[in-house]
């Protein structure tokens, strides 16, 4: 009953907005860009893409040796045409109404993707009657890719002319992200995700300008990733088929990098690691007490050393995630051998937990990484953490305020608002979750590097991951990309625009669920995509 009371007014509001925007004479213009750019102005004319719409790079320093820009342009053309057949006689149209192509100017020579890369871009589209080129200017190729994504949302297929049109020209857009870290977590330990599914998730992330794929690769239930230094860890996979080789991991990193997405790898230690002992039982405190990993055994830290050494050859992002959450030290204290070690080192369980986390941090730092740990590490011994640690919030609101007051960096993912597996959390709650709540000091604000929506995999696999992620992740994506002064103060203000983006995702073969309802909600009645 409670759900019905919520759904009906939202559906009515969406229907009213759709009638206003899409019905009647079509004279009402609305900006349908998601996430909303920092600055934009537009006109009231229309252009068509020419049949030989091309990419130019006149004036650009960037050589595109790896083909990142070219591939981005080809993807742009693919999502703009949406497999429609452009089969018309172009000669019967006024040639001054056709846009010939796009000229992209990139100032940087490098195509290296790293944390805090300049992702800004400027996009201009000329007025009708001035047949020329659209123009993107960016500091990096990855800013240019964002420009392609914005341009793609300005294009639509006209069923009357059978052409791709750009409405509301001329356009001038200046854009840049609010936060450098805009993440999405996927979990391949609770359910295995095939490589094509992961790649499709990466593609969908780019549509909403998310830029970090947090890969929670292993956990208590399974260890699907090959570790060449310790090959028996693979014995922890669910089956022989549900595995990734290191070459597979390298391919995911390469695929993501070419699209402007960093891959953050995670091993969650010392808890959440029972699967490690399937191949190496010495990592368990005992056969009946399998996690946390055995703090008393030097072999445990040798294995972590080997994993992070292998990681450093593939996962080139400057950060690695070492977990550190939900550690129950009772297993150590109840195991005689580990208990003797604790007494010999004059430790209780909580002190051994601190010892383990800090030692794992040192190993990661020795391989050139900066470390991300879950919030419990800060809550239990925050003043002992490496000062370069990034604390990953998840338990609830208020963590970022405390973490930044202590001078540490923070990522916001509070589970009551940004956990995608919590199906009762609606898109408007995702949208209104503000990472800088109660943080007014500019120095502290800069320590919040961004946020992340988390797609934990206990009840999600390849069959339902897309509709569980989208469109709610897009709501958070605008919060992380768009400047604060441009964000809606009431989610009603963005219903129509997000509904349009959700339908756009469907058109691009992304199984985004309806807005009306909680996560993974199915349409209740027949009707237009724009009112679901």
């Amino acid at each position: 009953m409670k759900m019905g009371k919520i759904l009906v007014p939202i559906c009515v509001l969406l229907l009213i907005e759709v009638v206003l925007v899409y019905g009647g004479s079509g004279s009402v213009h609305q900006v349908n860009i998601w996430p909303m750019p920092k600055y934009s102005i537009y006109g009231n004319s229309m252009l068509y893409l020419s049949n030989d719409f091309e990419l130019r790079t006149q004036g650009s320093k960037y050589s595109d040796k790896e083909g990142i820009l070219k591939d981005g342009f080809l993807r742009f053309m693919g999502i703009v045409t949406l497999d429609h057949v452009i089969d018309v006689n172009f000669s019967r149209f006024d040639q001054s109404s056709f846009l010939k192509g796009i000229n992209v100017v990139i100032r940087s020579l490098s195509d290296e993707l790293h944390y805090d890369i300049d992702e800004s871009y400027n996009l201009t589209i000329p007025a009708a009657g001035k047949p020329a080129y659209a123009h993107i200017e960016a500091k990096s190729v990855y800013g240019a890719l964002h420009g392609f994504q914005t341009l793609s949302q300005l294009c639509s297929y006209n069923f009357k002319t059978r052409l791709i049109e750009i409405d509301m020209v001329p356009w001038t857009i200046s854009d840049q992200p609010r936060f450098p870290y805009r993440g999405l977590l996927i979990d391949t330990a609770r359910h295995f995700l095939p490589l094509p599914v992961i790649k499709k998730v990466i593609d969908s992330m780019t549509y909403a300008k998310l830029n970090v794929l947090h890969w929670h690769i292993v956990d208590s239930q399974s260890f699907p990733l090959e570790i060449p230094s310790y090959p028996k860890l693979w014995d922890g996979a669910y089956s022989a088929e549900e595995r990734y080789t290191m070459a597979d991991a390298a391919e995911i990193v390469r695929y993501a990098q070419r699209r402007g997405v960093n891959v953050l790898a995670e091993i969650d230690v010392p808890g959440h690691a029972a699967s490690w002992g399937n191949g190496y039982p010495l990592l368990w405190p005992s056969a009946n007490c399998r996690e946390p990993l055995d703090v008393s055994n030097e072999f445990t830290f040798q294995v972590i050393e080997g994993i992070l050494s292998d990681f450093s050859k593939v996962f080139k992002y400057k950060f690695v995630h070492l977990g550190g959450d939900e550690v129950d030290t009772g297993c150590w204290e109840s195991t005689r051998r580990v208990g003797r070690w604790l007494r010999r080192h004059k430790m209780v369980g909580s002190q051994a937990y601190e010892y383990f986390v800090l030692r794992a941090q040192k190993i990661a730092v020795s391989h050139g990484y900066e470390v991300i740990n879950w919030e419990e590490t800060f809550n239990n011994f925050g003043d002992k953490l490496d000062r370069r640690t990034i604390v990953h919030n998840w338990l609830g609101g208020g963590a970022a305020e405390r973490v930044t007051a202590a001078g540490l960096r923070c990522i916001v993912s509070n589970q009551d608002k940004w956990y995608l597996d919590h199906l009762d959390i609606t898109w408007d709650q995702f949208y209104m979750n503000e990472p800088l709540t109660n943080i007014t000091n500019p120095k502290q604000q800069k320590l919040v590097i961004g946020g992340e929506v988390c797609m934990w995999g206990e009840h999600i696999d390849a069959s339902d991951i897309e509709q569980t992620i989208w469109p709610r992740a897009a709501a958070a994506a605008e919060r992380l990309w768009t400047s604060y002064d441009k964000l809606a103060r009431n989610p009603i203000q963005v219903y129509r625009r997000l509904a349009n983006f959700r339908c756009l995702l469907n058109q691009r073969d992304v199984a985004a669920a309806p807005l009306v309802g909680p996560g993974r909600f199915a349409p209740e009645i027949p009707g237009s995509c724009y009112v679901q």
Side-chain angles (χ1 to χ4, degrees):
M1 292 299 294
K2 182 178 180 183
M3 188 60 67
K5 291 178 181 178
I6 295 173
L7 297 184
V8 171
I10 290 177
C11 186
V12 170
L13 282 167
L14 279 170
L15 180 59
I16 291 171
E17 291 228 334
V18 168
V19 169
L20 286 173
V21 176
Y22 298 100
S25 64
S27 60
V28 178
H29 291 292
Q30 296 288 338
V31 175
N32 274 330
I33 304 173
W34 194 281
M36 183 64 79
K38 183 179 179 67
Y39 169 84
S40 64
I41 56 173
Y42 53 88
N44 57 10
S45 298
M46 182 186 297
L47 286 175
Y48 299 109
L49 267 59
S50 70
N51 63 332
D52 53 357
F53 190 81
E54 65 173 351
L55 170 68
R56 295 198 315 185
T57 56
Q58 292 182 2
S60 182
K61 295 181 179 179
Y62 179 70
S63 64
D64 198 30
K65 290 181 180 178
E66 300 298 322
I68 293 174
L69 182 65
K70 180 183 177 183
D71 285 354
F73 175 73
L74 293 175
R75 290 194 301 273
F76 159 78
M77 292 301 297
I79 60 177
V80 163
T81 58
L82 295 172
D83 291 334
H84 288 299
V85 177
I86 313 298
D87 184 20
V88 297
N89 182 0
F90 283 84
S91 63
R92 67 184 179 87
F93 290 90
D94 179 1
Q95 295 306 297
S96 67
S97 62
F98 285 100
L99 196 63
K100 294 181 178 180
I102 184 163
N103 189 64
V104 179
V105 177
I106 299 171
R107 299 303 178 189
S108 173
L109 296 174
S110 174
D111 55 19
E112 178 187 356
L113 179 64
H114 53 78
Y115 172 72
D116 74 9
I117 186 101
D118 192 320
E119 298 176 86
S120 65
Y121 68 92
N122 295 311
L123 168 65
T124 57
I125 304 172
K130 297 180 179 179
Y133 288 78
H135 189 83
I136 290 176
E137 184 168 344
K139 296 287 181 60
S140 73
V141 66
Y142 304 106
L145 296 183
H146 290 315
F148 283 149
Q149 290 298 338
T150 297
L151 178 58
S152 75
Q153 294 188 40
L154 300 178
C155 297
S156 60
Y157 181 75
N158 186 315
F159 280 88
K160 291 183 179 180
T161 63
R162 314 297 171 92
L163 295 171
I164 304 297
E165 69 179 30
I166 303 177
D167 199 9
M168 300 162 60
V169 299
W171 280 94
T172 299
I173 294 174
S174 181
D175 203 7
Q176 65 185 58
R178 182 184 179 200
F179 292 102
Y181 185 107
R182 307 179 304 282
L184 167 66
L185 177 147
I186 60 170
D187 173 6
T188 58
R190 275 54 180 264
H191 284 98
F192 179 81
L193 295 174
L195 293 172
V197 173
I198 298 176
K199 287 182 174 182
K200 199 174 177 195
V201 168
I202 292 168
D203 285 333
S204 64
M205 289 173 65
T206 67
Y207 301 151
K209 299 185 173 72
L210 294 173
N211 71 341
V212 179
L213 179 73
H214 176 178
W215 191 358
H216 188 87
I217 307 174
V218 304
D219 208 291
S220 303
Q221 294 82 0
S222 74
F223 199 115
L225 180 65
E226 175 188 28
I227 301 296
S229 296
Y230 290 91
K232 290 184 180 180
L233 287 171
W234 228 1
D235 293 353
Y238 285 125
S239 69
E241 288 73 30
E242 294 169 295
R243 291 175 170 177
Y244 309 103
T245 67
M246 263 298 178
D248 292 335
E251 169 59 15
I252 290 297
V253 171
R254 184 203 67 84
Y255 188 90
Q257 180 265 330
R258 295 181 66 82
R259 287 154 178 77
V261 175
N262 287 292
V263 178
L264 169 68
E266 179 181 0
I267 54 169
D268 196 343
V269 294
H272 290 278
S275 64
W276 298 33
N278 290 328
Y280 297 99
L282 287 175
L283 295 170
W284 291 331
S286 72
N288 298 320
C289 199
R290 299 187 172 190
E291 62 185 16
L293 295 171
D294 190 348
V295 67
S296 70
N297 192 339
E298 280 299 303
F299 180 63
T300 298
F301 298 98
Q302 291 170 14
V303 171
I304 292 174
E305 167 78 38
I307 292 172
L308 293 176
S309 176
D310 290 345
F311 271 22
S312 68
K313 299 177 179 67
V314 172
F315 298 107
K316 300 298 184 179
Y317 194 36
K318 72 181 289 185
F319 305 122
V320 69
H321 206 304
L322 295 183
D325 62 312
E326 298 181 319
V327 177
D328 181 358
T329 61
C331 183
W332 291 339
E333 294 164 327
S334 65
T335 303
R336 281 188 186 178
R337 178 178 49 78
V338 181
R340 287 196 298 270
W341 182 90
L342 291 173
R343 290 189 293 275
R344 188 164 65 249
H345 289 82
K346 299 180 180 179
M347 290 185 189
V348 295
S350 60
Q351 292 170 314
Y353 168 36
E354 175 187 317
Y355 164 80
F356 195 115
V357 168
L358 297 184
R359 186 166 175 184
Q361 282 197 334
K362 288 179 181 177
I363 295 171
V365 170
S366 74
H367 288 287
Y369 284 118
E370 294 180 30
V371 175
I372 302 175
N373 279 115
W374 291 110
E375 182 181 342
E376 286 96 325
T377 59
F378 174 79
N379 294 340
N380 285 283
F381 43 87
D383 59 335
K384 304 291 179 57
L385 292 170
D386 185 291
R387 297 305 296 172
R388 292 169 291 182
T389 301
I390 295 177
V391 178
H392 196 162
N393 150 250
W394 75 278
L395 291 173
E401 186 180 0
R402 298 191 304 273
V403 170
T404 57
L408 296 176
R409 291 171 292 176
C410 186
I411 295 168
V412 173
S413 290
N414 47 315
Q415 62 175 333
D416 57 329
K417 298 293 189 238
W418 276 1
Y419 267 30
L420 291 157
D421 57 309
H422 290 201
L423 301 183
D424 58 326
I425 305 175
T426 53
W427 73 264
D428 52 307
Q429 294 174 282
F430 275 78
Y431 190 88
M432 296 306 292
N433 188 40
E434 172 49 47
L436 299 184
T437 297
N438 296 328
I439 303 176
T440 57
N441 184 315
K443 290 184 179 179
Q444 283 183 243
Q445 289 179 342
K446 290 181 180 178
L447 292 174
V448 179
I449 67 170
E452 177 178 291
V453 289
C454 298
M455 183 68 276
W456 295 106
E458 284 87 349
H459 306 288
I460 287 89
D461 64 9
S463 71
D464 59 2
I465 186 170
E466 286 187 336
Q467 59 264 49
T468 315
I469 292 174
W470 305 107
R472 293 180 300 159
E478 178 155 292
R479 176 67 51 172
L480 293 168
W481 176 275
T482 301
S483 58
Y484 185 76
D485 63 316
K486 292 286 186 180
L487 291 166
R489 299 299 180 261
N490 187 323
I492 292 175
Q493 297 170 299
V494 299
Y495 277 157
R496 187 269 312 151
R497 191 162 49 84
L498 184 55
N500 183 83
F501 184 71
R502 179 254 169 172
C503 293
L504 186 69
L505 290 174
N506 284 176
Q507 292 165 9
R508 295 178 180 182
D509 193 31
V510 178
L515 264 71
V516 181
R520 221 160 59 212
F521 190 77
E524 286 197 316
I525 57 174
S528 166
C529 175
Y530 297 98
V531 295
Q532 300 293 341

